[in-house]
C-alpha cells in the first residue's frame, strides 16, 4: 500500500485522474458483467425447464415403455446444462473482450476530459510563470467561468496579486523616500563638519573630534547605501539591457588599481567576452563589492585575480580569487548574510557595514544567477558567479 501511494503521488494529476476514470469504468463494467451473468443463468434455467414441460405435454406418445421417461429426462438435462454453460461462457468471453475495449476507450476519453477539466489550472500556472519572468504584478486572471472551486481559486490568486502589487509599490515608494530622507541629513552633517574643520580658529581637539565625526558619518552613509542597494537588489528586474561582463570587470579593476597598490595587493584581470542581460549599475556593484572585499581581506603581499568567460552550459562566469586568511567551509554561508562577518555575529564597523556579499547575492538572484564561494588551499577565497548569457539579438 505504501509503495502504491508513493508511486501515485509522483504521477501528474492528469494521469491520476485518467487512471481513476479508467479504473472506475472497469470496476463498474465488471460488476455489470457479473450481475448479467447471474441473471442470465437464472433466466436460462427457468426458460429451458418451461420449454421442456411444454414439449412433454404437446408431443408425448400414448404409450411409453417402462423406464424410458428417466432416460429421456437425463438426456434432456445434459443438453440443457451444455447449452447453458456454452451460453454463459460466450457471455463471459464476448463481454470480457467488450469490457477491455471499452475500458481503453474510456481511459482515452478520461484523459481528454481530465485535460479539459485542468485547463483553467494550466491557465493559472501560465499566468504565474509569466509574472515570475516579467515581474509584471499588474496581470490578472479575470476568470469568468462558473462559480466553482476553480473560479474561487482564480479569484484568490487575483486578490493575492493585487496585494503583492500594492506591497511592491509601497516598497518602491519607501525606498525612494528613505533614500532622500536618510542621505540628506548625513550630507548636511558632513558639510557642517567639513566647514568647521576649515576654520582657522578651530582648536586641535576640535579638529580631532571633527575627523572622528566624519569617519562615523561616512560609515553611516555606507550603511544606508548598502541597505538601499540590498533592497533594490532583492527586486526582480523590470527592464534589462545587454551588458558585457568582461568590460565591466576591466572597468572596475581600473578603478580599484590605486586601492590595491595602497594595500600592497597585485590586481590582475583576464576578461573574455561574456555578455549578460540585466541592470548595468547593479552588475557593476556586484563586481565592485567582490573586488573591494578581495582587496580588503588580503595579505600585504597578496594578489587578486578577476576572470570572465563563457561556460559550455551557456552561462557567463565571473570568478574573483584572492589570497588572504584561511576560511572554513562552515563560515561561508555567514559571509553572505546581512550584518554578518566571519568570527562574529555583528559587524565590526571598522571594516564596513557587512553588507557587501549580501548585496552581491541579492543582485545575482534578481538576475536569475547563482553565486558560490570556495576556500583556497593556503588561504583566501574563490567566488564564482554564473549569469545567463544575453540573447544574441538583444540590444
Amino acid at each position: 500500500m505504501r509503495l502504491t501511494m508513493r508511486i501515485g503521488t509522483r504521477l501528474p494529476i492528469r494521469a491520476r485522474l485518467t487512471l481513476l476514470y479508467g479504473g472506475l469504468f472497469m470496476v463498474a463494467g465488471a460488476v455489470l458483467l457479473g450481475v448479467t451473468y447471474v441473471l442470465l443463468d437464472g433466466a436460462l434455467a427457468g426458460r429451458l425447464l418451461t420449454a421442456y414441460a411444454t414439449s412433454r405435454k404437446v408431443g408425448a406418445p400414448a404409450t411409453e415403455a417402462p423406464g424410458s421417461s428417466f432416460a429421456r429426462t437425463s438426456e434432456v438435462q445434459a443438453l440443457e446444462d451444455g447449452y447453458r454453460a456454452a451460453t454463459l461462457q460466450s457471455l463471459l468471453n464476448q463481454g470480457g473482450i467488450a469490457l477491455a475495449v471499452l475500458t481503453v476507450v474510456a481511459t482515452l476519453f478520461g484523459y481528454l476530459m481530465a485535460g479539459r477539466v485542468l485547463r483553467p489550472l494550466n491557465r493559472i500556472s501560465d499566468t504565474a510563470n509569466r509574472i515570475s519572468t516579467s515581474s509584471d504584478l499588474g496581470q490578472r486572471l479575470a476568470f469568468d467561468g462558473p462559480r466553482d472551486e476553480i473560479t474561487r481559486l482564480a479569484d484568490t490568486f487575483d486578490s493575492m496579486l493585487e496585494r503583492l502589487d500594492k506591497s511592491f509599490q509601497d516598497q518602491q515608494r519607501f525606498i525612494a523616500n528613505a533614500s532622500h530622507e536618510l542621505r540628506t541629513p548625513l550630507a548636511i552633517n558632513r558639510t557642517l563638519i567639513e566647514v568647521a574643520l576649515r576654520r582657522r580658529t578651530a582648536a586641535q581637539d576640535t579638529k580631532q573630534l571633527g575627523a572622528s565625526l566624519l569617519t562615523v558619518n561616512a560609515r553611516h552613509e555606507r550603511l544606508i547605501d548598502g541597505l538601499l542597494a540590498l533592497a533594490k537588489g532583492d527586486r526582480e528586474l523590470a527592464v534589462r539591457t545587454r551588458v558585457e561582463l568582461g568590460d565591466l570587470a576591466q572597468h572596475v579593476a581600473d578603478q580599484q588599481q590605486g586601492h590595491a597598490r595602497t594595500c600592497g595587493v597585485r590586481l590582475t584581470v583576464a576578461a573574455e567576452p561574456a555578455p549578460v542581460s540585466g541592470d548595468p549599475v547593479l552588475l557593476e556593484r556586484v563586481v565592485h563589492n567582490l573586488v573591494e572585499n578581495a582587496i580588503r581581506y588580503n595579505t600585504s603581499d597578496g594578489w587578486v585575480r578577476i576572470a570572465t568567460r563563457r561556460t559550455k552550459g551557456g552561462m557567463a562566469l565571473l570568478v574573483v580569487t584572492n589570497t588572504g586568511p584561511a576560511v572554513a567551509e562552515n563560515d561561508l554561508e555567514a559571509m553572505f548574510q546581512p550584518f554578518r562577518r566571519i568570527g562574529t555575529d555583528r559587524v565590526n564597523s571598522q571594516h564596513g557595514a557587512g553588507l557587501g556579499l549580501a548585496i552581491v547575492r541579492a543582485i545575482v538572484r534578481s538576475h536569475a544567477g547563482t553565486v558560490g564561494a570556495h576556500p583556497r588551499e593556503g588561504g583566501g577565497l574563490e567566488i564564482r558567479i554564473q549569469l545567463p548569457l544575453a540573447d544574441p539579438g538583444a540590444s
Side-chain angles (χ1 to χ4, degrees):
M1 177 60 70
R2 291 182 180 178
L3 180 60
T4 303
M5 293 181 62
R6 189 175 300 174
I7 294 176
T9 55
R10 294 179 180 177
L11 292 176
I13 186 171
R14 186 174 184 180
R16 279 182 276 171
L17 288 176
T18 302
L19 293 177
L20 179 63
Y21 295 156
L24 290 177
F25 184 86
M26 184 177 63
V27 171
V31 171
L32 179 61
L33 183 61
V35 172
T36 304
Y37 181 90
V38 174
L39 294 177
L40 182 61
D41 187 18
L44 286 176
R47 187 174 295 274
L48 289 175
L49 182 60
T50 302
Y52 175 72
T54 303
S55 63
R56 288 285 295 173
K57 293 179 180 179
V58 174
T63 58
E64 293 181 352
S68 61
S69 177
F70 175 79
R72 182 175 297 174
T73 302
S74 299
E75 181 181 354
V76 172
Q77 185 66 37
L79 292 175
E80 291 178 359
D81 293 341
Y83 175 75
R84 186 170 59 183
T87 302
L88 295 176
Q89 186 63 38
S90 176
L91 173 66
L92 291 178
N93 295 337
Q94 301 299 327
I97 295 174
L99 178 60
V101 173
L102 291 178
T103 299
V104 174
V105 174
T107 302
L108 296 177
F109 183 75
Y111 182 79
L112 298 177
M113 292 302 298
R116 186 177 182 85
V117 171
L118 296 175
R119 188 178 301 170
L121 297 180
N122 293 331
R123 179 180 169 185
I124 296 175
S125 178
D126 294 339
T127 303
N129 289 332
R130 286 197 305 269
I131 293 174
S132 64
T133 54
S134 64
S135 302
D136 183 11
L137 296 177
Q139 299 186 47
R140 297 293 183 271
L141 290 174
F143 195 75
D144 55 356
R147 302 304 301 176
D148 53 10
E149 290 80 2
I150 296 180
T151 305
R152 289 197 296 270
L153 174 62
D155 293 342
T156 303
F157 188 79
D158 286 342
S159 177
M160 180 189 67
L161 288 178
E162 185 176 357
R163 291 195 299 270
L164 288 176
D165 191 16
K166 184 179 182 301
S167 176
F168 183 72
Q169 293 177 2
D170 292 342
Q171 183 186 22
Q172 285 183 319
R173 285 192 294 268
F174 170 77
I175 292 175
N177 294 332
S179 176
H180 175 74
E181 296 295 335
L182 295 177
R183 286 174 176 172
T184 301
L186 292 176
I188 294 175
N189 290 340
R190 185 178 68 252
T191 302
L192 293 176
I193 295 172
E194 290 175 350
V195 171
L197 291 178
R198 290 192 180 97
R199 292 180 178 177
R200 297 179 180 179
T201 58
Q204 187 64 29
D205 293 342
T206 303
K207 292 182 178 180
Q208 292 179 355
L209 177 61
S212 300
L213 291 176
L214 284 177
T215 302
V216 174
N217 196 85
R219 291 170 186 167
H220 290 167
E221 289 180 341
R222 289 196 302 269
L223 175 61
I224 293 173
D225 289 339
L227 290 173
L228 294 176
L230 183 61
K232 293 179 180 179
D234 281 330
R235 297 180 302 174
E236 292 290 339
L237 299 178
V239 179
R240 294 173 179 263
T241 58
R242 184 182 177 90
V243 181
E244 179 53 59
L245 198 59
D247 295 343
L248 206 61
Q250 185 65 55
H251 173 69
V252 173
D254 294 339
Q255 290 182 334
Q256 293 293 322
Q257 284 291 352
H259 183 205
R261 284 192 295 268
T262 303
C263 297
V265 175
R266 186 174 69 260
L267 178 59
T268 59
V269 184
E272 298 180 6
V276 297
S277 177
D279 189 321
V281 177
L282 294 179
L283 291 175
E284 182 180 357
R285 185 64 181 265
V286 168
V287 183
H288 180 273
N289 285 6
L290 291 179
V291 176
E292 186 179 43
N293 279 359
I295 296 174
R296 180 180 300 168
Y297 301 100
N298 212 315
T299 58
S300 58
D301 56 347
W303 50 263
V304 176
R305 295 172 184 168
I306 311 173
T308 61
R309 65 177 184 274
R310 301 179 183 221
T311 65
K312 295 181 179 179
M315 302 289 286
L317 181 64
L318 169 67
V319 182
V320 178
T321 313
N322 72 317
T323 53
V327 181
E329 288 280 355
N330 298 333
D331 294 330
L332 294 178
E333 179 60 26
M335 295 170 51
F336 291 92
Q337 298 295 329
F339 304 108
R340 296 290 298 274
R341 182 175 287 108
I342 298 176
T344 181
D345 290 335
R346 301 298 298 174
V347 300
N348 182 358
S349 59
Q350 182 180 358
H351 296 91
L355 294 172
L357 293 182
I359 294 172
V360 167
R361 182 162 68 175
I363 296 176
V364 169
R365 286 180 175 177
S366 68
H367 286 73
T370 59
V371 56
H374 308 280
R376 287 186 63 256
E377 185 177 355
L381 284 174
E382 178 185 273
I383 298 182
R384 303 169 67 90
I385 291 178
Q386 294 192 39
L387 297 170
L389 286 173
D391 187 358
S395 61

